[in-house]
Amino acid sequence: LALDRIESGDAEGLFKLIKKTGLSMCGYGPVMAMLEASGADRAELLAYATSGDVHAMREVVGYASVVVRK
């Protein structure tokens, strides 16, 4: 859900999502600042993986690589 907001350049929507759902995302503040400062209206997801891709586990951490475009 967070990546959807990031890909659409929606910093405010990302903040609302995190506050509404309690989604755990490290660095959402810097991501929001980057979206706002860059004036980005979209971003493209380059890659997404989780720690569970390497070793099966009950809880995982996700990692995403995104390029921001104006």
Side-chain angles (χ1 to χ4, degrees):
L1 295 172
L3 285 171
D4 290 340
R5 301 307 189 293
I6 294 168
E7 287 181 290
S8 66
D10 184 7
E12 183 178 345
L14 176 62
F15 183 74
K16 288 179 180 178
L17 172 74
I18 290 168
K19 292 303 175 190
K20 180 180 177 183
T21 65
L23 183 120
S24 174
M25 177 183 165
C26 296
Y28 71 86
V31 170
M32 291 171 53
M34 178 271 307
L35 289 172
E36 288 293 319
S38 70
D41 56 4
R42 63 188 172 93
E44 179 185 347
L45 179 65
L46 299 178
Y48 177 78
T50 73
S51 52
D53 295 338
V54 176
H55 177 69
M57 54 187 72
R58 202 178 106 201
E59 294 183 9
V60 299
V61 175
Y63 302 89
S65 174
V66 177
V67 63
V68 175
R69 303 192 191 279
K70 247 181 132 171

